[in-house]
Amino acid sequence: MKNVYALIDTETADMNKVYDFGFILFDKKGNILFERNYINIDVFYNDKLMNSAYYGWKKPLYENIPNLVYTTTKGMIFDFFKNCEKFGVTHLLAYNLSFDIKALKYTAKKYMNEEINFDNFVLVDVMRTAIELLINTDKYRNFCKQNNELTEKGNYKTSAESVYRYINSDYDFNEDHTALSDCYC
């Protein structure tokens, strides 16, 4: 059985309601098999919720993103799992995977009144891997000190954005904070 991977990202309102969900399906050689970016209309068109979204101010930018699929929570969840089955996805990955899974589960329960699970996948938190292999090194800590990659409390940043800057020596990089685009970072 060959491994096929799904790399996911979510953007949320009210910390746990997914309004933007993107994923890339790829094989172990890095070949992209399929990608999709959903706008969840159950949340996206609720102005009160979107005003609570950390990146909600970016809502107008979505008008310029090609190939967005505007659908309900049910359509988004159903289509994601259908494509995972179609392509034989074995592993589910994300940077801070527990956040994305929790948000997707909460959104499905809230808007579909259904439980979803990810038990059929090997779960891989890319952030934990980055912490083990990169972040807990003197080289990364020196990078953070030299490039002001420190939190307000003086800790070393562990965000995907900071790690991307380190790996790619791209010190001006900023994530779009739109789901599919962030999957590519």
Side-chain angles (χ1 to χ4, degrees):
M1 175 184 216
K2 67 178 185 171
N3 289 334
V4 176
Y5 307 90
L7 178 63
I8 67 170
D9 187 55
T10 61
E11 299 297 330
T12 61
D14 204 25
M15 289 302 295
N16 54 13
K17 296 174 183 82
V18 176
Y19 68 84
D20 179 8
F21 174 45
F23 69 89
I24 302 167
L25 304 183
F26 61 98
D27 64 20
K28 67 180 179 180
K29 294 180 180 176
N31 298 310
I32 305 295
L33 306 173
F34 187 79
E35 67 178 33
R36 177 81 28 102
N37 197 168
Y38 308 97
I39 294 299
N40 183 359
I41 62 174
D42 294 331
V43 179
F44 192 76
Y45 292 117
N46 181 324
D47 290 336
K48 183 179 178 186
L49 281 177
M50 287 305 291
N51 287 337
S52 75
Y54 192 76
Y55 294 107
W57 61 270
K58 290 188 171 197
K59 187 175 176 183
L61 300 177
Y62 284 90
E63 295 172 10
N64 299 319
I65 298 175
N67 302 318
L68 288 174
V69 176
Y70 289 81
T71 187
T72 61
T73 301
K74 186 171 188 163
M76 176 179 80
I77 298 295
F78 175 79
D79 192 55
F80 171 69
F81 281 104
K82 178 184 79 168
N83 280 294
C84 285
E85 184 177 338
K86 176 181 174 182
F87 287 94
V89 171
T90 55
H91 292 68
L92 185 66
L93 302 87
Y95 200 90
N96 195 3
L97 180 64
S98 62
F99 175 85
D100 296 293
I101 286 177
K102 181 179 172 186
L104 287 166
K105 284 182 174 186
Y106 182 89
T107 303
K109 184 67 174 169
K110 170 103 175 132
Y111 295 98
M112 297 167 43
N113 198 29
E114 291 185 27
E115 301 285 336
I116 60 171
N117 71 63
F118 299 91
D119 295 342
N120 292 333
F121 304 107
V122 175
L123 303 178
V124 180
D125 188 337
V126 178
M127 185 168 111
R128 289 183 187 262
T129 303
I131 289 170
E132 291 173 15
L133 299 177
L134 298 172
I135 294 171
N136 286 333
T137 65
D138 289 337
K139 190 173 179 184
Y140 183 79
R141 291 196 265 299
N142 288 333
F143 159 81
C144 288
K145 289 176 192 172
Q146 293 169 359
N147 294 284
N148 198 29
E149 293 288 338
L150 302 170
T151 66
E152 289 179 15
K153 294 183 178 182
N155 297 319
Y156 305 107
K157 288 185 179 179
T158 59
S159 68
E161 207 166 57
S162 296
V163 170
Y164 183 95
R165 289 175 185 151
Y166 171 72
I167 291 171
N168 294 290
S169 299
D170 184 352
Y171 308 116
D172 297 321
F173 172 76
N174 291 305
E175 279 184 294
D176 287 341
H177 295 290
T178 58
L180 184 60
S181 175
D182 288 359
C183 284
Y184 278 99
C185 297

